């Protein structure tokens, strides 16, 4: 069961909801149904970890743009 984070547009409170198919989405504080779905902290962190690594830069010894060790191929 996915857990989503929401913030209430009416009272501004943030909360997490375990969302089932029959779950009624409403604020636990004011029972408003005007909710903003938040990106989960876990998903954000995972996306950051999955970000491609930047190239290490030119080789320090020969300046080859493919990075350190590229000059060994020549
Ligand atoms: Zn509310």
């Amino acid at each position: 069961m996915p857990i989503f984070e929401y913030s209430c547009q009416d009272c501004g409170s943030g909360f997490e909801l375990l969302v089932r198919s029959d779950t009624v989405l409403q604020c636990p504080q004011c029972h408003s149904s005007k909710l903003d779905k938040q990106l989960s902290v876990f998903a954000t962190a995972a996306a950051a970890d999955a970000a491609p690594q930047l190239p290490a830069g030119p080789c320090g010894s020969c300046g080859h743009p493919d990075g350190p060790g590229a000059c060994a191929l020549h």
Side-chain angles (χ1 to χ4, degrees), residues 9-33:
Q9 294 181 13
D10 282 347
C11 73
S13 70
F15 53 93
E16 294 180 346
L17 278 180
L18 179 64
V19 180
R20 298 185 181 90
S21 59
D22 60 347
T23 297
V24 177
L25 296 179
Q26 66 175 16
C27 174
Q29 301 294 323
C30 69
H31 304 290
S32 168
S33 60

Side-chain angles (χ1 to χ4, degrees), residues 6 17 34-35 37 41 44 59 63 67 74:
Y6 293 90
L17 278 180
K34 289 190 285 187
L35 307 177
K37 190 175 179 181
V41 174
T44 306
C59 174
H74 296 305

